[in-house]
Amino acid sequence: MSSIQASRGTRDILPDEVSYWQRVETIVREILVRAAYQEIRTPIFEQTALFERGMGEATDVVNKEMYTFKDRGDRSLTIRPEGTAGVARSYIEHNLHAQGGVQRLWYAGAMFRYERPQAGRQRQFHQLGVEVLGSGDVRADAEAIALATEILQTLGLKDLRLDLNSIGDANDRQTYREALVNYLTPFKEELDADSQDRLTRNPLRILDSKDPRTQTILDQAPSILDYLGSDSQRRFDRVQQLLSDLGIACNINSRLVRGLDYYTHTVFEIQSDDLGAQATVCAGGRYDGLVSELGGPETPAIGWAMGLERLILLLQQIQPVSPSKVDFYVVSRGEKAESQALILAQLLRRSGFTIELDLSGSAFGKQFKRADRSGAVACLILGDSEAETKTVQLKWLKSGEQTAIEQSALLETIADLRTKISHLKDEN
Ligand code: ATP
Ligand code: MG
């Protein structure tokens, strides 16, 4: 019979790779906590209408990529393709705005989009995201961008490029949209099929097109930056100034637009050339229109999302992360010895040691081989005679030095053991 495999576009994260994920999670948590961000966890599925309203019906995600289904009660539900809409819904539903001030939230979790799988592009993938709700101050934009770069830098990633743009407010965009459509219409037949379709539905998205012919046509297209009103222009200048004050270099990219309709003013992306076609690690921007669009109060907001698979791909290119080591490997043979070993392992774990208990019941020689392979610092050995005398052999694997200790005395020497083990671990 043929065996069942993971679904297309999904993958297992095996223990060796999990070390990278844990490292990212630890660093992210530390950095975000220090910036007074709080974690939020929202449901994996939501009503389909949330994404249709929140992401805009003319976006690729809503049109082509959502996992939407009817449940047994005939409700249309969607497994979340992104995190912002759910966070905004939650913010409104729980009146988080009533607490006054700024809500700085972060989330991490699986997202689902029906896409063509390739390196760095999956159907189930993971995002880390932040959302700052309730501040329209440009410093919020700079702070959010700085946090993203801080995380990537702390992880040791280099050669990243920050692209920045402003897409202005709704008025600016309205006039720009007209100018863009006027410019592109005569070239309509030469545009790629998607772009032709977008010309009426979502013309700004044409700027995103990867098609070479469309790109060439776009070279002469009007730039959004020439359509910013004075307020938008001031904001854009100020964000650039603040980033420069923070020592963060950025590249102005007037073609950068986001696929989602609720974005306003600041948009940005962080890219790496080491990722091939899927170069964007982090993408975000200001979305002052979303919360009110979803029925909440007018709430200026800014956020970003990082694709964790792409981040991990980059990390794997630069540094190996070794999984944490076992302190003691416990070897035992014979019924009495085996049950004493089980108890001893539990006592030592309660004292904070990492213990791997050999369950094979095989000959001592084979158990010792496994002890060596386990990477443990020391081995505890119990056979019939140790069981009889309530002792245990403690063997330091590197030096081979071995001593017998009373089982009851083992815990009294904990402090010494701990010091010795941490020395030996550091040496390796
Ligand atoms: P792309 O242009 O790569 O499709 P996007 O504009 O659809 O990206 P966003 O919705 O802004 O992406 O999501 C933010 C980040 O999440 C992306 O920059 C990327 O790192 C990651 N991401 C998005 N879709 C996927 C996917 N299918 N598989 C893996 N990571 C993804
Ligand atoms: Mg996409």
Side-chain angles (χ1 to χ4, degrees):
M1 220 192 331
S2 67
S3 56
I4 298 177
Q5 300 188 330
S7 306
R8 186 165 150 78
T10 70
R11 56 188 286 278
D12 300 306
I13 301 168
L14 297 176
D16 277 349
E17 190 186 327
V18 165
S19 332
Y20 288 92
W21 288 79
Q22 290 172 337
R23 176 138 180 275
V24 170
E25 285 155 13
T26 307
I27 286 178
V28 159
R29 193 156 292 162
E30 273 172 23
I31 292 178
L32 292 174
V33 164
R34 273 188 261 136
Y37 277 70
Q38 292 180 299
E39 186 179 356
I40 184 167
R41 302 187 185 195
T42 63
I44 305 274
F45 62 80
E46 298 269 2
Q47 293 179 40
T48 302
L50 173 69
F51 301 111
E52 286 172 350
R53 272 167 70 185
M55 303 180 75
E57 290 184 51
T59 55
D60 281 354
V61 174
V62 172
N63 279 330
K64 307 187 209 158
E65 298 174 0
M66 293 209 301
Y67 280 94
T68 297
F69 62 98
K70 284 273 176 73
D71 75 359
R72 289 167 197 269
D74 210 32
R75 300 170 190 88
S76 178
L77 301 174
T78 294
I79 322 180
R80 63 181 185 195
E82 56 102 48
T84 305
V87 171
R89 177 203 47 71
S90 176
Y91 175 84
I92 298 166
E93 187 168 335
H94 301 286
N95 278 317
L96 297 184
H97 45 88
Q99 299 179 8
V102 178
Q103 290 283 321
R104 288 182 171 86
L105 303 171
W106 71 274
Y107 61 84
M111 305 295 160
F112 304 82
R113 297 183 191 178
Y114 192 78
E115 303 209 60
R116 197 167 68 79
Q118 42 199 302
R121 187 175 300 284
Q122 295 170 203
R123 292 182 173 172
Q124 174 174 341
F125 61 100
H126 297 79
Q127 283 184 339
L128 160 74
V130 307
E131 315 292 354
V132 181
L133 294 134
S135 174
D137 197 293
V138 281
R139 284 173 300 164
D141 305 35
E143 187 186 61
I145 295 173
L147 269 175
T149 58
E150 183 76 10
I151 288 170
L152 298 170
Q153 251 171 35
T154 307
L155 285 167
L157 301 184
K158 303 218 165 55
D159 302 325
L160 296 168
R161 197 178 58 245
L162 168 64
D163 274 14
L164 185 73
N165 193 24
S166 169
I167 52 171
D169 60 20
N171 282 333
D172 305 338
R173 233 159 345 154
Q174 183 57 37
T175 24
Y176 176 63
R177 193 174 292 125
E178 282 163 24
L180 186 64
V181 171
N182 285 341
Y183 169 78
L184 288 173
T185 305
F187 298 104
K188 180 165 182 192
E189 300 308 316
E190 294 165 60
L191 298 174
D192 59 281
D194 269 351
S195 296
Q196 292 189 13
D197 185 46
R198 284 172 179 155
L199 199 54
T200 44
R201 289 156 64 82
N202 193 352
L204 258 63
R205 286 284 333 247
I206 298 175
L207 299 176
D208 249 0
S209 170
K210 306 276 185 295
D211 180 76
R213 182 115 178 239
T214 304
Q215 291 254 0
T216 316
I217 296 171
L218 285 169
D219 283 342
Q220 306 299 321
S223 158
I224 176 85
L225 294 177
D226 296 325
Y227 289 78
L228 297 183
S230 57
D231 178 50
S232 302
Q233 184 64 54
R234 228 186 347 264
R235 290 189 66 98
F236 189 42
D237 293 341
R238 187 85 184 116
V239 173
Q240 290 173 58
Q241 182 60 51
L242 292 171
L243 288 176
S244 144
D245 292 348
L246 285 163
I248 299 170
C250 69
N251 166 50
I252 306 299
N253 176 358
S254 64
R255 292 233 195 129
L256 183 63
V257 288
R258 303 296 306 146
L260 313 183
D261 284 346
Y262 51 67
Y263 282 102
T264 48
H265 298 296
T266 306
V267 279
F268 68 95
E269 278 189 6
I270 302 175
Q271 311 214 346
S272 165
D273 291 334
D274 301 331
L275 277 173
Q278 272 58 248
T280 309
V281 186
C282 177
R286 183 161 273 290
Y287 52 92
D288 292 347
L290 177 65
V291 175
S292 56
E293 174 68 30
L294 293 176
E298 285 292 332
T299 308
I302 180 154
W304 49 251
M306 272 182 201
L308 292 180
E309 276 76 8
R310 296 184 194 176
L311 194 67
I312 303 280
L313 282 172
L314 286 174
L315 271 184
Q316 287 174 322
Q317 289 174 15
I318 55 170
Q319 53 197 205
V321 176
S322 48
S324 70
K325 280 230 177 81
V326 172
D327 296 324
F328 293 109
Y329 191 92
V330 181
V331 161
S332 60
R333 194 162 158 80
E335 198 173 319
K336 235 177 170 174
E338 283 166 2
S339 62
Q340 289 178 9
L342 201 60
I343 295 166
L344 217 54
Q346 189 182 45
L347 287 174
L348 287 166
R349 286 176 187 138
R350 283 182 186 156
S351 303
F353 292 102
T354 308
I355 312 293
E356 182 171 345
L357 180 65
D358 192 303
L359 295 172
S360 66
S362 52
F364 275 118
K366 284 191 172 167
Q367 294 195 44
F368 287 139
K369 282 216 177 86
R370 269 194 293 272
D372 283 331
R373 276 202 304 267
S374 76
V377 179
C379 196
L380 290 173
I381 307 154
L382 288 104
D384 290 336
S385 64
E386 284 79 19
E388 237 19 86
T389 53
K390 290 281 185 81
T391 56
V392 56
Q393 300 284 335
L394 167 62
K395 181 178 180 185
W396 299 97
L397 286 169
K398 202 165 173 197
S399 63
E401 175 199 342
Q402 185 169 331
T403 42
I405 307 177
E406 305 242 333
Q407 287 177 27
S408 58
L410 192 63
L411 289 178
E412 289 159 23
T413 61
I414 285 284
D416 291 344
L417 288 176
R418 194 168 284 141
T419 321
K420 183 152 183 189
I421 282 180
S422 71
H423 275 313
L424 287 171
K425 272 185 164 174
D426 286 346
E427 271 176 30
N428 288 339

